[in-house]
Coordinates of all heavy atoms in Angstrom, one line a residue:
K663 N 0.8 -1.2 0.0 CA 0.0 0.0 0.0 C 0.9 1.3 0.0 O 0.5 2.2 -0.6 CB -0.9 0.0 1.2 CG -2.0 -1.0 1.1 CD -3.1 -0.8 2.2 CE -4.2 -1.7 2.0 NZ -5.4 -1.3 2.4
F664 N 2.0 1.2 0.7 CA 2.8 2.4 0.8 C 3.4 2.7 -0.6 O 3.3 3.9 -1.1 CB 4.0 2.2 1.7 CG 5.0 3.3 1.7 CD1 4.8 4.5 2.3 CD2 6.2 3.2 0.9 CE1 5.7 5.5 2.3 CE2 7.1 4.2 0.9 CZ 6.9 5.4 1.5
K665 N 3.8 1.7 -1.3 CA 4.4 1.9 -2.7 C 3.3 2.5 -3.6 O 3.5 3.4 -4.4 CB 4.9 0.6 -3.2 CG 5.6 0.8 -4.6 CD 6.2 -0.5 -5.1 CE 6.8 -0.3 -6.4 NZ 7.3 -1.6 -7.0
E666 N 2.1 1.9 -3.5 CA 1.0 2.4 -4.4 C 0.6 3.8 -4.1 O 0.5 4.6 -5.0 CB -0.2 1.5 -4.1 CG -1.3 1.5 -5.1 CD -2.4 0.5 -4.8 OE1 -2.1 -0.8 -4.9 OE2 -3.4 0.9 -4.4
G667 N 0.6 4.2 -2.8 CA 0.3 5.6 -2.4 C 1.4 6.5 -2.8 O 1.1 7.6 -3.3
F668 N 2.6 6.0 -2.7 CA 3.8 6.8 -3.1 C 3.7 7.1 -4.6 O 3.9 8.3 -5.1 CB 5.1 6.1 -2.8 CG 6.3 6.8 -3.3 CD1 6.8 7.9 -2.6 CD2 6.9 6.4 -4.4 CE1 7.9 8.6 -3.0 CE2 8.1 7.1 -4.9 CZ 8.6 8.2 -4.2
E669 N 3.4 6.1 -5.4 CA 3.3 6.3 -6.9 C 2.2 7.2 -7.3 O 2.4 8.0 -8.2 CB 3.2 4.9 -7.6 CG 4.5 4.1 -7.5 CD 4.3 2.7 -8.0 OE1 3.2 2.3 -8.5 OE2 5.3 1.9 -8.0
I670 N 1.1 7.1 -6.6 CA -0.1 8.0 -6.9 C 0.3 9.4 -6.5 O 0.1 10.4 -7.3 CB -1.3 7.5 -6.1 CG1 -1.8 6.2 -6.7 CG2 -2.4 8.6 -6.2 CD1 -2.9 5.6 -5.9
G671 N 1.0 9.6 -5.4 CA 1.4 11.0 -5.0 C 2.4 11.5 -5.9 O 2.4 12.7 -6.3
L672 N 3.3 10.7 -6.4 CA 4.4 11.2 -7.3 C 3.7 11.6 -8.6 O 4.1 12.6 -9.2 CB 5.4 10.0 -7.5 CG 6.6 10.4 -8.4 CD1 7.4 11.5 -7.8 CD2 7.5 9.1 -8.5
K673 N 2.8 10.8 -9.1 CA 2.1 11.1 -10.4 C 1.3 12.4 -10.2 O 1.4 13.3 -11.1 CB 1.1 10.0 -10.7 CG 0.4 10.2 -12.0 CD -0.6 9.1 -12.3 CE -1.4 9.4 -13.6 NZ -2.4 8.4 -13.9
E674 N 0.6 12.6 -9.1 CA -0.1 13.9 -8.9 C 0.8 15.1 -8.8 O 0.5 16.1 -9.4 CB -1.0 13.8 -7.7 CG -2.1 12.8 -7.8 CD -2.9 12.6 -6.5 OE1 -2.5 13.1 -5.4 OE2 -3.9 11.9 -6.5
A675 N 1.9 14.9 -8.1 CA 2.9 16.0 -8.0 C 3.5 16.3 -9.4 O 3.6 17.5 -9.7 CB 4.0 15.6 -7.1
R676 N 3.8 15.4 -10.2 CA 4.3 15.6 -11.5 C 3.3 16.4 -12.4 O 3.7 17.3 -13.1 CB 4.7 14.3 -12.2 CG 6.0 13.7 -11.7 CD 6.3 12.5 -12.5 NE 7.6 11.9 -12.0 CZ 7.9 10.6 -12.0 NH1 7.0 9.8 -12.6 NH2 9.0 10.2 -11.6
E677 N 2.1 16.0 -12.3 CA 1.0 16.6 -13.1 C 0.9 18.1 -12.6 O 0.7 19.0 -13.5 CB -0.3 15.9 -13.0 CG -0.3 14.6 -13.7 CD -1.6 13.7 -13.4 OE1 -2.5 14.2 -12.8 OE2 -1.6 12.6 -13.9
E678 N 0.9 18.3 -11.3 CA 0.8 19.7 -10.8 C 2.0 20.5 -11.2 O 1.8 21.7 -11.6 CB 0.7 19.6 -9.3 CG 0.5 20.9 -8.6 CD 0.3 20.8 -7.1 OE1 -0.3 19.8 -6.6 OE2 0.9 21.7 -6.4
L679 N 3.2 20.0 -11.2 CA 4.4 20.7 -11.6 C 4.3 21.0 -13.1 O 4.7 22.1 -13.5 CB 5.6 20.0 -11.2 CG 6.0 19.9 -9.7 CD1 7.1 19.0 -9.5 CD2 6.3 21.3 -9.3
R680 N 3.9 20.1 -13.9 CA 3.7 20.3 -15.3 C 2.8 21.5 -15.6 O 3.1 22.3 -16.4 CB 3.2 19.1 -16.0 CG 4.3 18.1 -16.3 CD 3.7 17.0 -17.3 NE 4.6 15.8 -17.2 CZ 4.3 14.7 -16.6 NH1 3.1 14.5 -16.1 NH2 5.1 13.7 -16.5
E681 N 1.7 21.5 -14.9 CA 0.7 22.6 -15.1 C 1.3 23.9 -14.7 O 1.1 24.9 -15.3 CB -0.6 22.3 -14.4 CG -1.7 23.3 -14.6 CD -2.0 23.6 -16.1 OE1 -2.0 22.6 -16.9 OE2 -2.2 24.8 -16.4
E682 N 2.0 23.9 -13.5 CA 2.6 25.2 -13.1 C 3.7 25.6 -14.1 O 3.7 26.8 -14.4 CB 3.3 24.9 -11.7 CG 2.4 24.8 -10.6 CD 3.1 24.6 -9.2 OE1 4.3 24.8 -9.2 OE2 2.4 24.1 -8.3
G683 N 4.4 24.7 -14.7 CA 5.4 25.0 -15.7 C 4.7 25.6 -16.9 O 5.2 26.6 -17.5
R684 N 3.6 25.0 -17.3 CA 2.9 25.5 -18.5 C 2.4 27.0 -18.3 O 2.5 27.8 -19.1 CB 1.7 24.6 -18.8 CG 2.1 23.3 -19.5 CD 0.8 22.6 -19.9 NE 1.1 21.2 -20.1 CZ 0.8 20.2 -19.3 NH1 0.0 20.5 -18.2 NH2 1.1 19.0 -19.5
E685 N 1.9 27.2 -17.1 CA 1.4 28.5 -16.7 C 2.5 29.5 -16.7 O 2.4 30.6 -17.3 CB 0.7 28.5 -15.4 CG 0.0 29.8 -15.0 CD -1.0 30.3 -15.9 OE1 -1.8 29.5 -16.5 OE2 -1.2 31.5 -16.1
E686 N 3.6 29.2 -16.1 CA 4.8 30.1 -16.1 C 5.3 30.3 -17.5 O 5.6 31.5 -17.8 CB 5.9 29.5 -15.2 CG 5.6 29.6 -13.7 CD 6.7 28.9 -12.9 OE1 7.8 28.6 -13.5 OE2 6.4 28.6 -11.7
G687 N 5.3 29.3 -18.3 CA 5.7 29.5 -19.7 C 4.8 30.4 -20.5 O 5.2 31.2 -21.3
R688 N 3.5 30.2 -20.3 CA 2.5 31.1 -20.9 C 2.7 32.6 -20.5 O 2.8 33.5 -21.4 CB 1.1 30.7 -20.6 CG 0.6 29.5 -21.4 CD -0.9 29.3 -21.2 NE -1.2 28.8 -19.9 CZ -1.3 27.5 -19.6 NH1 -1.1 26.6 -20.5 NH2 -1.6 27.1 -18.3
E689 N 2.9 32.8 -19.2 CA 3.1 34.2 -18.7 C 4.4 34.7 -19.3 O 4.4 35.9 -19.7 CB 3.1 34.2 -17.2 CG 1.8 33.9 -16.6 CD 1.9 33.8 -15.0 OE1 2.9 34.2 -14.5 OE2 0.9 33.3 -14.5
E690 N 5.4 33.9 -19.3 CA 6.7 34.4 -19.8 C 6.6 34.7 -21.3 O 7.1 35.7 -21.8 CB 7.8 33.4 -19.6 CG 9.2 33.8 -19.9 CD 10.2 32.8 -19.5 OE1 10.2 32.3 -18.4 OE2 11.1 32.6 -20.3
G691 N 5.9 33.9 -22.0 CA 5.7 34.1 -23.5 C 4.9 35.4 -23.8 O 5.2 36.1 -24.7
I692 N 3.9 35.6 -23.0 CA 3.1 36.8 -23.1 C 4.0 38.1 -22.9 O 4.0 39.0 -23.7 CB 1.9 36.8 -22.2 CG1 0.9 35.8 -22.6 CG2 1.3 38.2 -22.1 CD1 -0.2 35.5 -21.6
L693 N 4.8 38.0 -21.8 CA 5.7 39.2 -21.5 C 6.7 39.4 -22.6 O 7.0 40.5 -23.0 CB 6.4 39.0 -20.2 CG 5.5 39.0 -18.9 CD1 6.3 38.7 -17.7 CD2 4.8 40.4 -18.8
H694 N 7.2 38.3 -23.1 CA 8.2 38.4 -24.2 C 7.6 39.0 -25.5 O 8.1 39.8 -26.1 CB 8.8 37.0 -24.5 CG 9.8 37.0 -25.6 ND1 11.1 37.6 -25.4 CD2 9.8 36.5 -26.8 CE1 11.8 37.4 -26.5 NE2 11.0 36.8 -27.4
G695 N 6.4 38.5 -25.8 CA 5.6 39.0 -26.9 C 5.3 40.5 -26.8 O 5.5 41.3 -27.8
E696 N 4.9 40.9 -25.6 CA 4.6 42.3 -25.4 C 5.9 43.2 -25.5 O 5.9 44.2 -26.1 CB 4.1 42.5 -24.0 CG 2.7 42.0 -23.8 CD 2.1 42.1 -22.4 OE1 2.9 42.4 -21.5 OE2 0.9 41.8 -22.2
E697 N 7.0 42.7 -25.0 CA 8.3 43.4 -25.2 C 8.7 43.5 -26.6 O 9.1 44.6 -27.1 CB 9.4 42.7 -24.4 CG 10.7 43.5 -24.5 CD 11.9 42.8 -23.8 OE1 12.1 41.6 -24.1 OE2 12.5 43.4 -22.9
K698 N 8.6 42.4 -27.4 CA 8.9 42.5 -28.8 C 8.1 43.5 -29.5 O 8.5 44.2 -30.4 CB 8.8 41.1 -29.4 CG 9.9 40.1 -29.1 CD 9.7 38.8 -29.7 CE 10.1 39.0 -31.2 NZ 10.1 37.7 -31.9
A699 N 6.8 43.5 -29.2 CA 5.9 44.5 -29.9 C 6.3 45.9 -29.5 O 6.3 46.8 -30.4 CB 4.4 44.2 -29.5
E700 N 6.6 46.1 -28.3 CA 7.0 47.5 -27.8 C 8.2 47.9 -28.5 O 8.3 49.1 -29.0 CB 7.2 47.4 -26.3 CG 7.4 48.7 -25.6 CD 7.5 48.6 -24.1 OE1 8.6 48.1 -23.6 OE2 6.6 48.9 -23.4
I701 N 9.2 47.0 -28.6 CA 10.4 47.3 -29.3 C 10.2 47.6 -30.8 O 10.7 48.6 -31.3 CB 11.5 46.2 -29.1 CG1 11.9 46.2 -27.7 CG2 12.6 46.3 -30.1 CD1 12.7 44.9 -27.3
R702 N 9.4 46.8 -31.4 CA 9.1 47.1 -32.8 C 8.4 48.4 -33.1 O 8.7 49.2 -34.0 CB 8.2 45.9 -33.4 CG 7.9 46.0 -34.9 CD 7.2 44.8 -35.4 NE 5.9 44.6 -34.7 CZ 5.6 43.5 -34.0 NH1 6.4 42.5 -33.8 NH2 4.4 43.4 -33.4
I703 N 7.4 48.8 -32.2 CA 6.7 50.0 -32.3 C 7.7 51.2 -32.1 O 7.7 52.2 -32.9 CB 5.5 50.1 -31.4 CG1 4.5 49.1 -31.8 CG2 5.0 51.5 -31.3 CD1 3.4 48.9 -30.7
L704 N 8.5 51.1 -31.1 CA 9.5 52.1 -30.8 C 10.5 52.3 -31.9 O 10.8 53.4 -32.3 CB 10.2 51.8 -29.5 CG 11.1 52.8 -28.9 CD1 10.4 54.1 -28.6 CD2 11.8 52.3 -27.6
R705 N 11.0 51.2 -32.5 CA 11.9 51.2 -33.6 C 11.2 52.0 -34.8 O 11.8 52.8 -35.4 CB 12.3 49.8 -34.0 CG 13.3 49.9 -35.2 CD 13.6 48.5 -35.8 NE 14.1 47.5 -34.8 CZ 13.5 46.4 -34.5 NH1 12.4 46.0 -35.2 NH2 14.0 45.6 -33.6
N706 N 10.0 51.6 -35.1 CA 9.3 52.2 -36.2 C 9.1 53.7 -36.0 O 9.2 54.5 -36.9 CB 7.9 51.6 -36.4 CG 8.0 50.2 -37.0 OD1 9.1 49.9 -37.7 ND2 7.0 49.4 -36.9
M707 N 8.8 54.1 -34.7 CA 8.6 55.5 -34.5 C 9.9 56.3 -34.7 O 9.8 57.4 -35.3 CB 8.1 55.7 -33.0 CG 6.7 55.2 -32.8 SD 6.2 55.4 -31.1 CE 5.8 57.2 -31.0
I708 N 11.0 55.8 -34.2 CA 12.3 56.4 -34.4 C 12.7 56.5 -35.9 O 13.1 57.5 -36.4 CB 13.4 55.8 -33.5 CG1 13.0 56.0 -32.1 CG2 14.7 56.3 -33.9 CD1 13.8 55.1 -31.1
V709 N 12.5 55.4 -36.6 CA 12.8 55.4 -38.0 C 11.9 56.4 -38.8 O 12.4 57.0 -39.8 CB 12.6 53.9 -38.6 CG1 12.5 53.9 -40.1 CG2 13.6 53.0 -38.1
N710 N 10.7 56.6 -38.3 CA 9.8 57.5 -39.0 C 9.9 58.9 -38.5 O 9.0 59.7 -38.7 CB 8.4 57.0 -38.9 CG 8.2 55.8 -39.8 OD1 8.3 55.9 -41.0 ND2 7.9 54.6 -39.3
G711 N 11.0 59.3 -37.8 CA 11.2 60.7 -37.5 C 10.9 61.1 -36.1 O 11.2 62.3 -35.8
Y712 N 10.4 60.3 -35.2 CA 10.2 60.7 -33.9 C 11.6 60.8 -33.2 O 12.4 59.9 -33.4 CB 9.3 59.8 -33.1 CG 7.8 59.9 -33.4 CD1 7.3 59.1 -34.5 CD2 7.0 60.7 -32.7 CE1 6.0 59.2 -34.8 CE2 5.7 60.8 -33.0 CZ 5.1 60.1 -34.1 OH 3.8 60.2 -34.4
K713 N 11.7 61.8 -32.3 CA 12.9 61.8 -31.5 C 12.8 60.8 -30.4 O 11.6 60.5 -30.0 CB 13.0 63.2 -30.8 CG 13.3 64.3 -31.8 CD 13.5 65.6 -31.1 CE 13.7 66.7 -32.2 NZ 13.8 68.1 -31.5
T714 N 13.9 60.2 -30.0 CA 13.8 59.1 -29.0 C 13.0 59.5 -27.8 O 12.2 58.7 -27.3 CB 15.3 58.7 -28.6 OG1 16.0 58.4 -29.8 CG2 15.2 57.6 -27.7
D715 N 13.3 60.7 -27.2 CA 12.6 61.0 -25.9 C 11.1 61.2 -26.2 O 10.3 60.9 -25.3 CB 13.2 62.3 -25.3 CG 13.2 63.5 -26.2 OD1 13.1 63.4 -27.4 OD2 13.2 64.6 -25.6
E716 N 10.8 61.7 -27.4 CA 9.3 61.9 -27.7 C 8.7 60.5 -27.8 O 7.6 60.3 -27.3 CB 9.2 62.7 -29.0 CG 7.8 63.0 -29.4 CD 7.8 63.8 -30.7 OE1 8.7 63.8 -31.5 OE2 6.7 64.4 -30.9
A717 N 9.3 59.6 -28.5 CA 8.8 58.2 -28.7 C 8.6 57.5 -27.4 O 7.6 56.9 -27.1 CB 9.6 57.4 -29.7
L718 N 9.6 57.6 -26.5 CA 9.5 57.0 -25.2 C 8.4 57.6 -24.4 O 7.6 56.9 -23.8 CB 10.8 57.2 -24.4 CG 12.0 56.5 -25.0 CD1 13.3 57.0 -24.3 CD2 11.9 55.0 -24.8
R719 N 8.2 58.9 -24.5 CA 7.1 59.6 -23.7 C 5.8 59.1 -24.2 O 4.9 58.8 -23.5 CB 7.3 61.1 -23.8 CG 6.2 61.9 -23.0 CD 6.4 63.4 -23.2 NE 6.5 63.9 -24.6 CZ 5.4 63.9 -25.5 NH1 4.2 63.6 -25.1 NH2 5.6 64.4 -26.7
I720 N 5.6 59.1 -25.5 CA 4.3 58.7 -26.1 C 4.0 57.3 -25.7 O 2.8 57.0 -25.4 CB 4.4 58.8 -27.7 CG1 4.4 60.3 -28.1 CG2 3.2 58.1 -28.3 CD1 4.7 60.6 -29.5
M721 N 5.0 56.4 -25.7 CA 4.7 55.0 -25.3 C 4.7 54.7 -23.8 O 4.3 53.6 -23.4 CB 5.8 54.1 -26.0 CG 5.6 54.1 -27.5 SD 6.7 52.9 -28.3 CE 6.0 51.4 -27.6
G722 N 5.0 55.8 -23.1 CA 4.9 55.6 -21.6 C 6.1 54.8 -21.0 O 6.0 54.2 -20.0
I723 N 7.2 54.9 -21.8 CA 8.4 54.1 -21.3 C 9.4 55.1 -20.6 O 9.7 56.1 -21.2 CB 9.2 53.5 -22.5 CG1 8.2 52.5 -23.2 CG2 10.4 52.8 -22.1 CD1 8.8 52.0 -24.6
P724 N 9.7 54.8 -19.4 CA 10.7 55.7 -18.7 C 12.0 55.8 -19.4 O 12.5 54.8 -19.9 CB 10.9 55.1 -17.3 CG 9.7 54.1 -17.2 CD 9.3 53.7 -18.6
E725 N 12.6 57.0 -19.4 CA 13.9 57.2 -20.1 C 15.0 56.3 -19.5 O 15.9 55.9 -20.2 CB 14.3 58.7 -20.1 CG 13.5 59.5 -21.1 CD 14.1 60.8 -21.4 OE1 15.3 60.9 -21.6 OE2 13.3 61.8 -21.4
A726 N 14.8 56.0 -18.2 CA 15.8 55.1 -17.6 C 15.9 53.7 -18.3 O 16.9 53.0 -18.2 CB 15.5 55.0 -16.1
Q727 N 14.8 53.3 -18.9 CA 14.8 52.0 -19.6 C 15.5 52.1 -21.0 O 15.7 51.1 -21.7 CB 13.4 51.5 -19.8 CG 12.8 51.0 -18.5 CD 11.4 50.4 -18.7 OE1 10.8 50.6 -19.7 NE2 10.9 49.7 -17.7
W728 N 15.8 53.3 -21.5 CA 16.2 53.5 -22.8 C 17.5 52.7 -23.1 O 17.6 52.0 -24.1 CB 16.5 54.9 -23.2 CG 17.1 55.2 -24.5 CD1 18.3 55.8 -24.7 CD2 16.7 54.7 -25.8 NE1 18.6 55.8 -26.0 CE2 17.7 55.1 -26.7 CE3 15.6 54.0 -26.2 CZ2 17.6 54.9 -28.1 CZ3 15.5 53.7 -27.6 CH2 16.5 54.2 -28.5
E729 N 18.5 52.7 -22.2 CA 19.7 52.0 -22.4 C 19.5 50.5 -22.6 O 20.1 49.9 -23.5 CB 20.7 52.2 -21.3 CG 21.3 53.6 -21.3 CD 22.1 54.0 -22.5 OE1 22.8 53.1 -23.0 OE2 21.9 55.1 -23.0
A730 N 18.6 49.9 -21.8 CA 18.3 48.5 -22.0 C 17.6 48.2 -23.3 O 17.9 47.1 -23.9 CB 17.5 48.0 -20.8
L731 N 16.8 49.1 -23.7 CA 16.0 48.9 -25.0 C 16.9 49.2 -26.2 O 16.7 48.6 -27.3 CB 14.8 49.8 -25.0 CG 13.7 49.4 -24.0 CD1 12.6 50.4 -24.0 CD2 13.1 48.0 -24.4
K732 N 17.8 50.1 -26.1 CA 18.6 50.5 -27.3 C 19.3 49.3 -28.0 O 19.2 49.2 -29.2 CB 19.7 51.5 -26.8 CG 20.3 52.2 -28.0 CD 21.4 53.2 -27.7 CE 21.5 53.8 -26.3 NZ 22.5 54.8 -26.1
A733 N 19.9 48.5 -27.2 CA 20.6 47.3 -27.8 C 19.6 46.4 -28.5 O 19.9 45.8 -29.6 CB 21.3 46.6 -26.8
K734 N 18.4 46.2 -28.0 CA 17.4 45.4 -28.6 C 16.8 46.0 -29.8 O 16.4 45.3 -30.7 CB 16.3 45.1 -27.6 CG 16.8 44.3 -26.4 CD 15.7 44.1 -25.4 CE 16.2 43.3 -24.2 NZ 15.2 43.1 -23.1
I735 N 16.7 47.3 -29.9 CA 16.1 47.9 -31.1 C 17.0 47.8 -32.3 O 16.5 47.6 -33.4 CB 15.9 49.5 -30.8 CG1 14.7 49.6 -29.8 CG2 15.7 50.3 -32.0 CD1 14.4 51.0 -29.4
K736 N 18.3 47.7 -32.1 CA 19.2 47.6 -33.2 C 19.3 46.2 -33.8 O 19.9 46.0 -34.8 CB 20.6 48.1 -32.7 CG 20.6 49.6 -32.4 CD 22.0 50.0 -32.0 CE 21.9 51.5 -31.8 NZ 23.2 52.1 -31.4
K737 N 18.7 45.2 -33.1 CA 18.8 43.8 -33.6 C 17.9 43.7 -34.9 O 17.0 44.3 -35.1 CB 18.3 42.9 -32.5 CG 19.3 42.7 -31.4 CD 18.8 41.7 -30.4 CE 19.8 41.6 -29.3 NZ 19.4 40.7 -28.3

């Protein structure tokens, strides 16, 4: 009975961890997609003549984040 209970508990724990992993992956994917869209829009604004500070202000991005985004925009 112990072995049977252990195997059932292990199976349930694995299923629970898989679901948690899927949920975390979905959330991470959504955040990554949002960041990619934000970078694409910001890049397009700058290419189309907006000054960097103006584009950041319009998009609601703090200027302190500009350095981190700058490298991603050039990719």
Side-chain angles (χ1 to χ4, degrees):
K663 287 191 178 211
F664 174 79
K665 183 179 179 184
E666 199 175 287
F668 177 79
E669 288 174 1
I670 291 170
L672 186 59
K673 181 181 177 186
E674 289 173 357
R676 284 182 179 152
E677 288 173 7
E678 187 177 316
L679 287 172
R680 277 190 200 108
E681 184 54 38
E682 286 177 18
R684 284 186 200 107
E685 183 62 33
E686 287 176 15
R688 280 190 288 270
E689 289 174 16
E690 190 173 314
I692 289 168
L693 291 175
H694 181 69
E696 288 173 353
E697 180 183 56
K698 284 182 73 171
E700 187 175 76
I701 290 168
R702 187 174 55 243
I703 293 167
L704 187 57
R705 181 187 307 123
N706 287 338
M707 290 177 78
I708 293 169
V709 166
N710 287 298
Y712 284 89
K713 293 180 182 176
T714 303
D715 61 336
E716 184 180 20
L718 292 170
R719 183 181 49 76
I720 290 169
M721 293 189 63
I723 300 171
E725 283 194 47
Q727 287 182 345
W728 171 239
E729 286 302 316
L731 290 173
K732 192 183 336 183
K734 295 176 182 180
I735 286 175
K736 293 181 179 181
K737 289 182 181 180

